[in-house]
């Protein structure tokens, strides 16, 4: 499930949970299997993982089983209280997606105010001491914001940024023509 409607969503996430989404018991069994296998990290992603009522419980369980628990989120649901709960659950890192500055991000995410909410989420995590980074899918809708994104990283003291290529799946199939060429990607 997701609270946004990003134009590039590789899953075509909707507001309602997928009927095949794992139950808490199934998720814990999978986490146990991953721990037994020796996986070092478990990334909770989505859609929007913070829409899962049991996310913090699953994160705590993953940490108890020896996994490094990480969240990949759009950040819009993180306020000071949620940031504290994320830290308390033992998550070591939160990657927050911003796909441009201001209105660029909001158009990309399908929600007015998504940029400001994500920025509040970044700041809330930083304030409680949870390592936080930025995630961006580079394409024609946002590559001109790249300099401003780098300025934001510096201004907010964000020490990690992950830049991704557009995935041609889900809603991303409909914007393939908006992907950057190899030369444009290199120039960016």
């Amino acid at each position: 499930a997701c609270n946004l409607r990003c134009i590039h969503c590789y899953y075509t996430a909707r507001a309602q949970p997928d009927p095949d989404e794992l139950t808490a018991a199934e998720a814990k069994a999978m986490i146990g299997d991953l721990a037994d296998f020796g996986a070092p990290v478990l990334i909770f992603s989505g859609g929007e993982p913070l829409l899962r009522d049991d996310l913090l419980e699953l994160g705590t369980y993953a940490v108890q089983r020896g996994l490094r628990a990480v969240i990949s989120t759009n950040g819009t649901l993180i306020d000071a209280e949620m940031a504290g709960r994320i830290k308390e659950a033992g998550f070591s890192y939160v990657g927050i997606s911003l796909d441009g500055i201001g209105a660029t991000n909001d158009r990309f995410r399908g929600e007015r105010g998504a940029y400001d909410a994500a920025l509040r989420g970044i700041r809330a995590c930083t304030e409680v001491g949870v390592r936080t980074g930025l995630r961006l899918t580079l394409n024609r809708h946002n590559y001109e914001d790249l300099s401003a994104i780098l300025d934001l990283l510096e201004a907010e003291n964000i020490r990690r940024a992950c830049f991704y290529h557009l995935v041609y799946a889900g809603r991303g199939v409909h914007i393939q023509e908006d992907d950057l060429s190899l030369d444009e990607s290199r120039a960016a």
Side-chain angles (χ1 to χ4, degrees):
C2 190
N3 58 319
L4 300 180
R5 301 230 353 118
C6 304
I7 63 173
H8 75 305
C9 182
Y10 56 83
Y11 183 66
T12 314
R14 300 184 189 339
Q16 312 79 15
D18 188 286
D20 293 329
E21 191 170 293
L22 298 178
T23 66
E26 291 168 334
K28 283 184 175 179
M30 182 192 72
I31 291 168
D33 288 346
L34 289 169
D36 291 344
F37 182 71
V41 178
L42 177 58
I43 300 174
F44 291 86
S45 188
E48 175 48 55
L50 288 168
L51 288 176
R52 263 193 89 109
D53 292 338
D54 59 357
L55 175 70
L56 301 174
E57 174 188 344
L58 295 175
T60 298
Y61 181 70
V63 171
Q64 289 169 347
R65 291 298 314 265
L67 295 165
R68 184 171 158 251
V70 172
I71 301 174
S72 176
T73 173
N74 62 44
T76 63
L77 302 176
I78 301 175
D79 57 15
E81 179 187 349
M82 178 55 74
R85 294 176 64 204
I86 288 168
K87 180 177 181 161
E88 185 179 301
F91 287 96
S92 62
Y93 176 80
V94 176
I96 296 181
S97 297
L98 277 181
D99 287 297
I101 299 293
T104 301
N105 180 78
D106 291 357
R107 278 191 306 277
F108 199 77
R109 298 270 158 194
E111 180 80 27
R112 175 175 275 156
Y115 174 80
D116 291 333
L119 196 52
R120 279 191 304 273
I122 288 169
R123 290 173 177 159
C125 287
T126 300
E127 286 174 17
V128 299
V130 174
R131 285 183 41 234
T132 307
L134 182 138
R135 302 164 46 85
L136 179 136
T137 300
L138 204 55
N139 60 77
R140 291 195 196 289
H141 293 276
N142 62 15
Y143 79 101
E144 291 179 350
D145 282 2
L146 190 54
S147 290
I149 289 286
L150 296 174
D151 290 341
L152 176 73
L153 292 170
E154 187 174 26
E156 296 293 330
N157 199 27
I158 300 168
R159 299 186 179 274
R160 179 176 179 165
C162 300
F163 297 94
Y164 298 95
H165 294 283
L166 182 65
V167 175
Y168 302 151
R171 285 191 287 272
V173 164
H174 306 293
I175 64 166
Q176 288 182 38
E177 66 279 358
D178 295 333
D179 200 0
L180 299 179
S181 70
L182 180 59
D183 288 339
E184 290 169 323
S185 292
R186 285 183 177 155

